[in-house]
Amino acid sequence: MPKLWTGVTAGNTSALADDFNSSIRFDKRMFRQDIEGSMAHAAMLASRHILSDEDRDSIIAGLAGILQDLQDGTLAVDEQAEDIHMFVEQVLTERIGEAGKRLHTARSRNDQVALDLRMYLRGECDEITALIKKVLEALADLADANKDTIMPGYTHLQRAQPVSFGHYMMAYAMMLLRDLDRLKDCRRRINISPIGCCALAGTTYDTDRRMEAELLGFDDICLNSMDGVSDRDFAVELMGDISILMMHLSRMAEELILWASWEFQFISISDAFTTGSSIMPQKRNADMAELIRGKTGRVYGDLMGLLTTLKGLPLAYNKDMQEDKEGVFDACDTVKMCLQILAPMLATITVRKEKMMEAAQKGFINATDLADWLVKKGMSFRSAYKISGQIVSMCMEKGSVLESVPLEEYRKYSDLFDETIYQAIDLKVCMEKRISEGGTSAASVEKQIAAVRSVLR
Ligand code: ARG
């Protein structure tokens, strides 16, 4: 493909340099954004009489034809081209002649590539948002079905207090709600148009940047042309948001792996998302969850990569910035794959309530409730805490549990004890009594589910 930039250079770069310089292998995925951007550019130029109406019509029709042909595969992207912008312009000129050469008036690839990337990434924000909502739906359904399913809640991975499995699921839902919010906020900053900043300094043509931005669905325009062409904050920010999202998915994945293990057996993951071992026939490996956990590392790498690329870059555009795309595309592709697999995996897990209950019954997760009962009878919390600890130690030695300590034994520790203690340390009661807002009681979980579902509606 002939080079469109042979000004003072001869354009006889070595094949190696051409290949090194080229970004078409990864920027070709922005062909739609590039073409739509060019259509708007032609419309704007004509509205300001920089381009004739005739040329505009021929450019827009030519671009529409290229878009159509790329979509249905009759036109293949030529990987010898330098990038998607050059490729589209070249094909356009081949198809419509002179008018094609007028399209690049009052713009540069520097503002063009920033425009395309912003358009592409706002679409990614929308897709990721829709996929998060699918996971939220699965979490809300699981929570709804398990508002009364008792399991041990942990701190330090030590059994701590009883919680419902529904409450647990809602904890993850809250993280994802924040992720939705972050993406929405990020999209606001992505959706600012850089087109018309040109190479770096703006242009002498009487352009209408706001019209062009509006045609392309942008909320506003970048106010400084040098910043407009060199700003990649939006890509860093999106990867930051995706990294936090992946961190959430990774934590969830880790719990799914643990819970599906023989040691916990709290859930089983459906066969559709479980693999076997090539040597050990008994194995049910949670490979999908492990991959979600594993892929989190590469997304963090993508984020660090772009931050490092941008660090210390002088204004305005530098070729280094071509390195922005692969990482951010990879982060988006990766998180979308993870979300796509997580939603049906969650929707099809089997919750083994009996195993959760069994674990809840061991580990003295009602010890806090024992102390709280004494406090309600008038004892100070510190004294009650101490006595409860002594009773737990005694049970540990004897291999028994708080529920089976006889009343006369309890009374050796404090004469405040009466038979209502058994009701107070019943696990179901312990859970249901946690009625504080945001607590694990079924009523509180219902409120949380309602909040999640109102976002989904
Ligand atoms: N392929 C380039 C990129 O992705 C497009 C911008 C090139 N501009 C330039 N002046 N070389 O960043």
Side-chain angles (χ1 to χ4, degrees):
M1 203 165 238
K3 295 183 176 70
L4 299 176
W5 44 253
T6 48
V8 294
T9 68
N12 55 355
T13 39
S14 78
L16 216 53
D18 282 345
D19 191 45
F20 189 60
N21 200 35
S22 151
S23 55
I24 193 136
R25 281 187 309 281
F26 47 88
D27 65 23
K28 63 182 177 188
R29 65 161 83 193
M30 302 194 302
F31 72 87
R32 184 170 295 105
Q33 291 74 18
D34 195 72
I35 290 172
E36 283 169 7
S38 289
M39 286 174 163
H41 191 63
M44 184 281 290
L45 291 177
S47 84
R48 302 302 265 198
H49 310 292
I50 302 166
L51 194 70
S52 70
D53 288 356
E54 213 182 334
D55 281 347
R56 172 199 59 201
D57 293 345
S58 132
I59 288 172
I60 292 180
L63 288 169
I66 294 173
L67 180 58
Q68 185 61 45
D69 294 350
L70 283 171
Q71 273 167 347
D72 63 28
T74 44
L75 174 64
V77 170
D78 176 3
E79 303 224 342
Q80 298 307 309
E82 186 177 323
D83 56 30
I84 190 64
H85 327 294
M86 291 300 203
F87 171 74
V88 171
E89 190 183 327
Q90 187 72 36
V91 176
L92 181 69
T93 302
E94 278 163 22
R95 290 188 177 187
I96 68 167
E98 276 304 295
K101 297 188 193 165
R102 295 190 213 279
L103 171 62
H104 209 56
T105 314
R107 77 171 183 187
S108 140
R109 267 188 301 159
N110 299 351
D111 54 345
Q112 193 181 354
V113 69
L115 175 82
D116 292 3
L117 189 59
R118 284 176 182 265
M119 287 172 71
Y120 184 86
L121 293 183
R122 76 182 174 194
E124 293 296 285
C125 270
D126 297 342
E127 280 184 33
I128 297 167
T129 295
L131 290 170
I132 293 176
K133 288 184 175 176
K134 295 265 177 235
V135 175
L136 277 168
E137 247 169 65
L139 288 172
D141 291 345
L142 268 176
D144 218 352
N146 290 285
K147 295 188 287 258
D148 303 310
T149 305
I150 302 176
M151 67 181 287
Y154 297 81
T155 62
H156 313 272
L157 208 53
Q158 303 277 329
R159 291 174 200 175
Q161 291 180 351
V163 294
S164 74
F165 186 63
H167 193 53
Y168 219 124
M169 293 297 98
M170 279 298 103
Y172 283 111
M174 297 304 145
M175 301 177 208
L176 296 187
L177 287 186
R178 291 194 294 276
D179 291 320
L180 283 181
D181 204 40
R182 263 186 286 272
L183 283 173
K184 193 170 158 191
D185 197 42
C186 178
R187 193 190 193 285
R188 225 166 35 81
R189 273 181 295 278
I190 294 177
N191 210 31
I192 307 287
S193 170
I195 197 70
C197 289
C198 302
L200 76 162
T203 180
T204 53
Y205 293 98
D206 178 27
T207 52
D208 186 347
R209 287 190 58 204
R210 290 189 187 272
M211 172 197 173
E212 199 166 341
E214 213 167 287
L215 284 175
L216 294 170
F218 284 93
D219 298 323
D220 207 344
I221 60 170
C222 311
L223 286 180
N224 179 292
S225 60
M226 295 181 79
D227 178 51
V229 290
S230 61
D231 171 22
R232 293 293 183 274
D233 293 6
F234 58 96
V236 172
E237 203 178 330
L238 179 59
M239 279 192 280
D241 293 350
I242 293 175
S243 293
I244 297 175
L245 168 56
M246 284 299 299
M247 178 262 287
H248 294 152
L249 302 188
S250 170
R251 293 180 76 171
M252 200 186 312
E254 167 66 7
E255 304 238 57
L256 294 176
I257 296 161
L258 275 179
W259 293 340
S261 71
W262 197 259
E263 281 67 22
F264 278 81
Q265 301 182 45
F266 284 1
I267 59 166
S268 75
I269 298 174
S270 74
D271 283 358
F273 301 101
T274 302
T275 57
S277 154
S278 58
I279 170 169
M280 300 163 281
Q282 82 283 12
K283 292 293 283 291
R284 287 183 64 82
N285 296 333
D287 283 25
M288 310 309 139
E290 289 172 42
L291 271 174
I292 292 173
R293 192 178 57 185
K295 283 176 187 292
T296 303
R298 83 187 258 164
V299 170
Y300 292 178
D302 292 331
L303 169 64
M304 287 318 295
L306 183 56
L307 278 172
T308 312
T309 298
L310 295 173
K311 175 187 173 296
L313 278 189
L315 294 180
Y317 179 85
N318 299 272
K319 189 77 172 187
D320 313 45
M321 292 167 77
Q322 179 165 288
E323 290 292 310
D324 59 358
K325 283 173 276 301
E326 282 164 291
V328 73
F329 292 161
D330 181 69
C332 292
D333 292 349
T334 304
V335 75
K336 287 194 293 182
M337 265 194 296
C338 292
L339 290 164
Q340 263 160 5
I341 211 122
L342 187 59
M345 183 159 74
L346 281 172
T348 54
I349 62 169
T350 307
V351 179
R352 305 185 66 181
K353 300 185 182 190
E354 72 300 344
K355 291 288 181 188
M356 290 184 180
M357 189 58 176
E358 215 175 275
Q361 281 161 342
K362 295 175 204 148
F364 304 97
I365 63 178
N366 46 5
T368 314
D369 300 86
L370 181 71
D372 285 343
W373 185 90
L374 286 168
V375 169
K376 282 172 193 152
K377 293 285 170 189
M379 194 180 281
S380 72
F381 182 77
R382 276 295 152 231
S383 306
Y385 171 91
K386 191 154 191 212
I387 287 180
S388 302
Q390 288 165 348
I391 299 172
V392 168
S393 298
M394 178 270 292
C395 286
M396 281 177 169
E397 263 167 43
K398 293 192 177 161
S400 78
V401 293
L402 295 177
E403 289 88 328
S404 54
V405 174
L407 188 57
E408 58 277 19
E409 187 73 25
Y410 271 125
R411 293 181 65 86
K412 285 186 193 157
Y413 293 89
S414 163
D415 49 19
L416 287 173
F417 279 115
D418 61 42
E419 61 287 342
T420 62
I421 183 60
Y422 297 105
Q423 162 81 357
I425 58 171
D426 179 84
L427 291 180
K428 185 150 181 50
V429 174
C430 295
M431 205 176 71
E432 275 314 306
K433 282 256 169 81
R434 286 183 162 76
I435 51 167
S436 55
E437 253 187 270
T440 189
S441 73
S444 158
V445 173
E446 262 161 31
K447 267 195 201 165
Q448 300 174 49
I449 297 171
V452 169
R453 289 197 168 139
S454 78
V455 173
L456 299 181
R457 242 175 268 125

